[in-house]
Amino acid sequence: MWSASTVCSLCIKEEDSPVYEGGGLGKMAGSKVKQDMPPPGGYSAFDYKRNLPKRGLSGYSMFGIGIGIMAIGYWRIFSWNRERRRLLIEELEARIALMPLIQAEHDRRTLRMLRENLEEESIIMKDVPGWKVGESVFHTDRWVPPLSDELFSLRPREQYLHKRFGFLWYV
Amino acid sequence: IMPLVDIQSWLGINIDRWMLLQSGEQPYKQAARCHAFEKEWVECSHGIGQIRAKKECQLEFEDFFECMYRKKTRQRMHAIREQRDKLIKEGKYTPPAHHTGQPDQNP
C-alpha cells in the first residue's frame, strides 16, 4: 500500500523547490532526473569569431610580378627577333652571292627547253597550213621570259606541276 | 572635283597612289612580271588623250594585255598539243625521250 514513508522519486520535495527556497535554476529539476548536462565547470573556451587571416601577396605585388614576367618575356622575344633578323640578312646575302651561278644555270636550262620546244613544234606543225614556227605572240622583239606553261607544255604534266608547286609547303 | 583638286599631294599623304600601277614602286624592289609592257604602254599614252591613245598605242596595249592574260600563247600551246595528240593517234609521231619523263636534267 502506499505509505507515507516511501520516497516518491517523482515528487517535488517542498524543501527543494525554488518557489519556496529561492534556489538557483540549476536546481530547477531538483529531483534526480537524468538529463544531459554539460560537465561540471562547463566546456573549455573556443573561438567562434570570424577568422579571415591576412595572407599571401598584396595586390600591388601580384601586379608587379605579372608585369615583371611580361617584361622579361618581351625582352627575350625582342632580342631573339633581332637575332633572327641578323640570320635572315645573312641568308639573303648568301642568296645574293650565289645568284650569278644559279641564274646562269636557270637561263641555260630555259634556253635549252625553248630550243627543244621549237624543234618539236617544227616537226609537229609541218603539215598545218599557215603556221609560222616559232612565231612570237608579241609585237615587240624584247626578250620575254617564257612561262613555265610554255616550257613544259610538251612534257608530262607532273614535271610542270613539280616546277610550279614542288617547293610549296603551304596550300 | 577629284581630278582637279589633288588632295593627296596637297596634304602630302599617299593613301592609294602606291597601288595604282604595277610599274610603281614595289616593296623589296620586286618587279612585276609585266613591268616592261606596262611601262611602255604608259609612256606611249602619257600626255595624249584617251581617244588618241587608244588609236596610237594599240600595239603596246596588246602586248601588255597578252603579257597579263597570255591568251594567244595559250591558244598556240593548245593548237600544238592538239596536233601532237592527233599525230600520235595516227601513229605518225613519237615524242622524243626527254619529253616522256626520263630524267635528263641538263644544266
Side-chain angles (χ1 to χ4, degrees), chain A residues 95-164:
Chain A
R95 174 178 171 260
I96 291 177
L98 286 176
M99 221 158 32
L101 176 67
I102 297 184
Q103 186 69 36
E105 278 184 9
H106 186 76
D107 286 344
R108 276 197 285 264
R109 186 141 180 260
T110 309
L111 287 174
R112 182 184 258 273
M113 289 172 77
L114 278 176
R115 181 75 206 167
E116 286 166 358
N117 281 356
L118 186 67
E119 287 168 0
E120 288 305 311
E121 192 186 332
S122 67
I123 296 179
I124 294 176
M125 303 305 265
K126 240 184 341 200
D127 303 321
V128 175
W131 185 269
K132 285 196 271 304
V133 173
E135 146 193 51
S136 158
V137 286
F138 295 99
H139 302 285
T140 169
D141 49 325
R142 254 202 308 259
W143 164 252
V144 174
L147 291 178
S148 44
D149 246 341
E150 307 171 26
L151 290 174
F152 285 91
S153 76
L154 292 171
R155 291 174 169 248
R157 187 162 163 77
E158 71 175 354
Q159 285 185 7
Y160 167 60
L161 293 176
H162 176 71
K163 168 76 165 38
R164 265 190 86 172

Side-chain angles (χ1 to χ4, degrees), chain A residues 12-153:
Chain A
I12 297 178
K13 292 221 168 68
E14 283 189 355
E15 58 270 29
D16 283 329
S17 77
V19 177
Y20 297 100
E21 284 197 356
L25 284 169
K27 289 187 153 185
M28 167 92 182
S31 56
K32 306 295 180 235
V33 175
K34 192 108 167 95
Q35 280 185 340
D36 193 7
M37 298 301 283
Y43 292 109
S44 51
F46 63 90
D47 41 347
Y48 60 91
K49 292 197 166 48
R50 297 168 82 190
N51 183 18
L52 302 169
K54 263 186 184 315
R55 60 174 293 187
L57 305 165
S58 74
Y60 290 120
S61 50
M62 282 201 285
F63 268 127
I65 289 179
I67 292 179
I69 292 180
M70 276 168 59
I72 292 178
Y74 286 149
W75 177 70
R76 271 173 51 157
I77 293 266
F78 294 159
S79 61
W80 177 236
N81 276 351
R82 273 184 243 126
E83 179 64 29
R84 275 172 73 197
R85 180 157 300 190
R86 285 190 276 267
L87 295 171
L88 172 72
I89 289 180
E90 182 182 348
E91 282 170 14
L92 289 179
E93 299 255 326
R95 174 178 171 260
I96 291 177
L98 286 176
M99 221 158 32
L101 176 67
I102 297 184
Q103 186 69 36
E105 278 184 9
H106 186 76
D107 286 344
R108 276 197 285 264
R109 186 141 180 260
T110 309
L111 287 174
R112 182 184 258 273
M113 289 172 77
L114 278 176
R115 181 75 206 167
E116 286 166 358
N117 281 356
L118 186 67
E119 287 168 0
E120 288 305 311
E121 192 186 332
S122 67
I123 296 179
I124 294 176
M125 303 305 265
K126 240 184 341 200
D127 303 321
V128 175
W131 185 269
K132 285 196 271 304
V133 173
E135 146 193 51
S136 158
V137 286
F138 295 99
H139 302 285
T140 169
D141 49 325
R142 254 202 308 259
W143 164 252
V144 174
L147 291 178
S148 44
D149 246 341
E150 307 171 26
L151 290 174
F152 285 91
S153 76

Side-chain angles (χ1 to χ4, degrees), chain A residues 2 5-13 16 29-34:
Chain A
W2 196 263
S5 58
T6 51
V7 175
C8 167
S9 61
L10 292 172
C11 306
I12 297 178
K13 292 221 168 68
D16 283 329
S31 56
K32 306 295 180 235
V33 175
K34 192 108 167 95

